[in-house]
Amino acid sequence: MEFFLDPSTWAGLLTLVILEVVLGIDNLIFVAILSEKLPPNQRDKARLIGLGLALIMRLALLSLISWVVTLNSPIIHNKFFSLSIRDVILLVGGFFLLFKTTMELHERLENNHHENSENKNYAGFWAVVIQIVVLDAVFSLDAIITAVGMVNQLLIMMIAVVIATLLMLLASKALTNFINVHQTVVVLCLSFLLMIGFSLVTEALRFCIPKGYLYAAIGFSILIEIFNQIARHNFMKNQSRRPMRQRAAETILRLMVGEQNKKEQTKKIVNDNKKTTSIHASKEMETFKDEERYMINGVLTLAGRSIRSIMTPRSNISWVNTEKNTDEIRMQLLDTPHSLFPVCKGELDEIIGIVRAKELLVAIEKKIDVSTFSSKILPIIIPDTLDPINLLGVLRRAQGSFVIVSNEFGVVQGLITPLDVLEAIAGEFPDADETPDIIKENNSWLVKGETDLHSLQQLLNTEELIKENNYASLGGLLIAQKGQLPLPGEIIYIYPFHFHIVKATEYRIDLVRIIKNQDENQETSNIM
């Protein structure tokens, strides 16, 4: 045992362990990929048996060093080629590795691999173990020949093989878990095995590829994959900081845009007999109709909107003034198509209650005081900073009525009905006494200044209008863009649209004509 005191012995042992680990990585990768085909409760057992058989096989071959050396003696020799037992083993193992790797790559590239499928057909346990043993024989032979060529002491070779196998055994589960999580790494590992199988075949046929070239290519590929995994990790880390609702909304919106692009790009197909076939594929691709896209977009963007963009503004509120006589109130109720009214004393900010038009008409006929009758149903008042998602719960408590929107100073800003929320999602539903906010003409749109900016942006199929949350209407956008209230006849350009001010007063913008820049190749159509 004196040779253990020789520093060269320890240097040889360390070098041999490193080489054995390097030569065993391909075996470890293949064991990890094959064990994935087994049920989860059998994978650890398969790895242990596979690497255990590799250890036993290598120790047995080390014990037969004299026989291993004779494996290089030619057994087949002619004028075309010369093959030894080692060459035949490498040739068979190389072709087997090429076949198995090609099948695995085909399965994964064809997307037939479903790890989470409940109906997945797992491979037989012993079938996988036999495949591991076959590859162990090939890889073990290469490792043993390397050991014989480096060290003369049998004990040192056996210690190096045991240490290398134990290291691979410790790393096998971690490597398998990593490969299962990162599917791109699986394809990379299979590519390595494909290259290794090809190198085994060429080596058996005496067309040797220097191992340094193989390891350099593998090392460079691993480096690139490390960069890719770091970039992916950072991307997922940044994504996780964003709200889940926003990420889900963007994913669904991308899906809808993709389906729309497919539909637009689908054309009629003409066969060799010059017969035009109907485009059933186009119809199948119409997963979302235009109305459906609008509504889905409205639902997904509802959380990001402000209360002001949903409510009926103060200027459009029809309210009952208790200081008027009953005849005037009766005529107002009969002439207005609304069924619900806020009842106020002198001004809109002094709300007494909420009444139904039919019930108030009956109360007036019975000579009941309007103020007394209206105070039975108190208004629900919400701040203009309320989250639109929380608004839905408030509307449910209103039981079919509406809620009043007020600012921090107690000034009424508007009111919201369930219909307002529906319009925010599905588009405008004009009342009998009002014209639509958007009128489509030949090559332009005639739009009211109070039109909700989210609805307009969806109809125009653009994302260029809403850059800030300081405004909720088209008029607010144009005033912010101009820096002051624009005058009739002025034109404001916001890519890719021209906004012509048709009608405006000293206080607000009433009517705008929107024309899309004719230089743009994209055309907005069928939005009404």
Side-chain angles (χ1 to χ4, degrees):
M1 303 295 287
E2 291 82 4
F3 59 85
F4 278 111
L5 301 177
D6 187 359
S8 60
T9 300
W10 291 101
L13 176 62
L14 179 61
T15 304
L16 188 56
V17 168
I18 294 174
L19 285 176
E20 290 291 327
V21 170
V22 171
L23 292 172
I25 287 177
D26 45 10
N27 188 18
L28 188 59
I29 292 173
F30 199 81
V31 169
I33 293 175
L34 282 179
S35 62
E36 186 186 354
K37 293 181 170 295
L38 293 172
N41 60 334
Q42 296 182 359
R43 292 173 185 174
D44 290 340
K45 183 179 179 182
R47 283 195 301 271
L48 291 174
I49 292 178
L51 293 175
L53 289 174
L55 176 60
I56 294 173
M57 195 172 303
R58 292 183 185 188
L59 293 177
L61 290 174
L62 282 172
S63 302
L64 302 173
I65 292 178
S66 58
W67 176 76
V68 171
V69 173
T70 62
L71 294 179
N72 290 320
S73 302
I75 59 172
I76 302 176
H77 182 73
N78 53 46
K79 63 180 181 179
F80 298 106
F81 56 84
S82 178
L83 297 177
S84 64
I85 297 177
R86 174 181 178 275
D87 295 333
V88 172
I89 295 176
L90 291 179
L91 191 64
V92 173
F95 278 121
F96 178 77
L97 192 57
L98 287 174
F99 171 77
K100 285 297 298 180
T101 305
T102 302
M103 295 299 295
E104 286 286 335
L105 276 174
H106 179 268
E107 180 180 346
R108 293 179 185 275
L109 294 179
E110 289 294 325
N111 200 26
N112 293 328
H113 180 75
H114 302 284
E115 173 67 21
N116 297 324
S117 174
E118 296 181 356
N119 298 323
K120 177 178 177 181
N121 293 323
Y122 292 106
F125 178 80
W126 290 110
V128 171
V129 170
I130 291 173
Q131 293 180 59
I132 293 176
V133 170
V134 173
L135 266 298
D136 278 341
V138 178
F139 293 130
S140 297
L141 183 62
D142 193 30
I144 294 307
I145 291 175
T146 301
V148 172
M150 283 195 59
V151 182
N152 294 325
Q153 291 88 357
L154 177 61
L155 183 59
I156 296 298
M157 288 186 283
M158 288 186 171
I159 293 175
V161 168
V162 171
I163 293 175
T165 304
L166 290 177
L167 290 176
M168 289 190 294
L169 187 60
L170 292 175
S172 62
K173 187 170 184 177
L175 178 63
T176 302
N177 294 335
F178 181 81
I179 287 177
N180 291 339
V181 173
H182 303 85
Q183 291 300 312
T184 57
V185 178
V186 178
V187 177
L188 183 65
C189 292
L190 289 172
S191 302
F192 292 162
L193 293 175
L194 203 62
M195 183 169 58
I196 292 169
F198 178 74
S199 69
L200 292 178
V201 173
T202 57
E203 185 177 353
L205 299 176
R206 306 300 172 87
F207 297 104
C208 294
I209 300 174
K211 295 293 180 67
Y213 292 169
L214 296 178
Y215 295 148
I218 292 174
F220 181 75
S221 301
I222 292 176
L223 181 63
I224 298 300
E225 182 62 25
I226 289 174
F227 291 156
N228 179 47
Q229 293 297 330
I230 292 175
R232 186 173 183 273
H233 173 75
N234 291 335
F235 174 77
M236 298 302 296
K237 185 178 179 181
N238 293 331
Q239 286 291 99
S240 63
R241 296 172 182 170
R242 302 170 60 199
M244 177 65 73
R245 183 187 292 114
Q246 182 181 358
R247 284 181 280 160
E250 291 178 356
T251 301
I252 297 175
L253 290 176
R254 281 197 300 268
L255 173 64
M256 291 192 297
V257 171
E259 291 293 338
Q260 186 177 17
N261 292 338
K262 288 180 182 179
K263 183 179 70 174
E264 292 174 353
Q265 293 173 0
T266 304
K267 299 179 180 179
K268 291 184 179 181
I269 303 173
V270 182
N271 59 16
D272 295 338
N273 297 325
K274 297 182 179 180
K275 294 181 179 179
T276 305
T277 59
S278 60
I279 49 175
H280 297 291
S282 176
K283 295 181 180 179
E284 292 175 356
M285 288 181 183
E286 293 180 357
T287 306
F288 296 103
K289 301 291 185 181
D290 292 336
E291 295 81 3
E292 292 174 320
R293 289 193 186 92
Y294 189 98
M295 288 189 290
I296 293 174
N297 197 352
V299 170
L300 296 177
T301 58
L302 183 63
R305 300 179 63 165
S306 64
I307 290 293
R308 291 185 301 162
S309 68
I310 300 175
M311 70 182 185
T312 299
R314 177 188 179 100
S315 59
N316 293 346
I317 296 178
S318 297
W319 56 283
V320 174
N321 187 357
T322 58
E323 295 183 353
K324 292 182 178 181
N325 59 54
T326 55
D327 291 334
E328 290 178 325
I329 295 175
R330 183 187 296 106
M331 291 302 299
Q332 179 185 358
L333 296 177
L334 293 175
D335 292 341
T336 308
H338 302 305
S339 60
L340 286 170
F341 291 86
V343 179
C344 309
K345 184 178 181 180
E347 58 179 339
L348 183 58
D349 297 322
E350 298 293 332
I351 301 178
I352 299 175
I354 297 173
V355 296
R356 297 186 180 277
K358 183 186 298 185
E359 295 175 354
L360 184 56
L361 286 172
V362 174
I364 291 174
E365 292 296 328
K366 293 181 179 180
K367 307 299 183 181
I368 300 175
D369 181 66
V370 174
S371 298
T372 304
F373 180 81
S374 303
S375 61
K376 295 180 180 179
I377 302 179
L378 299 178
I380 297 177
I381 300 177
I382 62 172
D384 57 1
T385 56
L386 183 69
D387 190 320
I389 298 300
N390 296 330
L391 169 66
L392 300 178
V394 178
L395 283 174
R396 290 191 186 96
R397 293 197 299 272
Q399 298 180 347
S401 182
F402 53 74
V403 296
I404 303 296
V405 181
S406 175
N407 65 8
E408 57 183 320
F409 303 107
V411 179
V412 173
Q413 302 295 303
L415 60 81
I416 300 179
T417 67
L419 180 61
D420 291 324
V421 178
L422 179 60
E423 287 183 337
I425 295 173
E428 185 184 9
F429 296 91
D431 292 331
D433 62 339
E434 65 177 351
T435 58
D437 288 344
I438 304 173
I439 299 176
K440 177 71 169 66
E441 297 183 343
N442 292 332
N443 296 315
S444 64
W445 298 267
L446 198 60
V447 185
K448 292 181 179 179
E450 64 190 27
T451 300
D452 171 41
L453 206 53
H454 282 82
S455 300
L456 180 62
Q457 183 167 269
Q458 290 187 56
L459 289 172
L460 296 180
N461 193 23
T462 181
E463 296 181 357
E464 299 296 326
L465 302 184
I466 301 177
K467 298 297 185 182
E468 301 178 8
N469 293 324
N470 298 330
Y471 40 80
S473 64
L474 174 60
L477 167 67
L478 297 180
I479 293 173
Q481 188 75 14
K482 180 70 177 178
Q484 62 184 18
L485 192 68
L487 300 175
E490 287 193 52
I491 299 176
I492 298 175
Y493 179 72
I494 302 177
Y495 177 86
F497 299 98
H498 293 276
F499 296 83
H500 297 251
I501 309 300
V502 177
K503 183 180 178 182
T505 65
E506 296 179 357
Y507 308 103
R508 65 181 185 182
I509 299 174
D510 292 324
L511 203 58
V512 179
R513 185 179 302 278
I514 303 176
I515 302 175
K516 190 170 186 180
N517 190 354
Q518 297 298 324
D519 295 335
E520 298 296 323
N521 294 327
Q522 297 178 350
E523 295 183 357
T524 306
S525 61
N526 299 325
I527 63 173
M528 293 299 294

